[in-house]
Amino acid sequence: MKTWILAGTLGVCALLANAQSLPDSQTVVIPGGRLLTIELPAHRHVMNREDFSPFRGGYELSNGQVLYLRNASNVGVIMYARIDNQDEHRIVATASNRFVALDRQLAMRIDLRDDGSVGGEVLMQVPAERLVSGELVPAHVENLSLASR
């Protein structure tokens, strides 16, 4: 009886070991994550006051913070963005719905949908910080989604 149980157990183990090895044609390769950076555009998108007007206002981000966009000029378009009560960043348009801060601290894509909802993403430079444990978290770019307007 013990022989039958031992033989059955070994047989099941052999089947499981064989099932775990895949031929090369079925191997899944997962590339490393891309490093997020904020770059200034080679060419700026020309945007006038009327083009920028729909983007002005506040946008709630996926982390609970609020992104604010405003125009600071009555003559041309001088655009600024800030998150919550942080410092403002002068921004330029890189496309009809994309903006980047001249100091490379923010970049955003804002998709204004026909139904009044918004989508898009915000890249935000987060400075290095030291945790209570003494561990240093290096500066990095955080990718946030636009949640609502």
Side-chain angles (χ1 to χ4, degrees), residues 37-41 89-90 100-107 123-125 141:
T37 60
I38 299 173
E39 299 297 330
L40 290 174
H89 305 273
R90 181 154 180 206
V100 66
L102 293 175
D103 62 5
R104 297 175 42 200
Q105 298 297 301
L106 289 172
L123 297 178
M124 175 175 62
Q125 180 70 37
V141 174

Side-chain angles (χ1 to χ4, degrees), residues 50-91:
E50 292 77 29
D51 295 335
F52 182 67
S53 182
F55 295 101
R56 291 187 355 222
Y59 301 86
E60 186 174 338
L61 302 176
S62 57
N63 68 352
Q65 292 181 302
V66 179
L67 166 71
Y68 297 98
L69 298 180
R70 73 177 184 94
N71 183 8
S73 173
N74 291 329
V75 179
V77 130
I78 299 175
M79 304 169 288
Y80 287 92
R82 69 178 164 86
I83 293 181
D84 287 341
N85 292 324
Q86 298 175 13
D87 292 338
E88 284 190 319
H89 305 273
R90 181 154 180 206
I91 59 174

Side-chain angles (χ1 to χ4, degrees), residues 81 93 122:
V122 174

Side-chain angles (χ1 to χ4, degrees), residues 2-61:
K2 291 181 185 176
T3 308
W4 287 104
I5 293 173
L6 182 60
T9 303
L10 289 174
V12 169
C13 289
L15 287 173
L16 291 174
N18 188 32
Q20 290 182 2
S21 60
L22 295 173
D24 287 340
S25 63
Q26 295 181 9
T27 302
V28 176
V29 177
I30 300 173
R34 67 180 175 106
L35 182 62
L36 295 175
T37 60
I38 299 173
E39 299 297 330
L40 290 174
H43 303 284
R44 295 181 185 175
H45 177 78
V46 177
M47 183 171 273
N48 60 38
R49 289 178 55 82
E50 292 77 29
D51 295 335
F52 182 67
S53 182
F55 295 101
R56 291 187 355 222
Y59 301 86
E60 186 174 338
L61 302 176

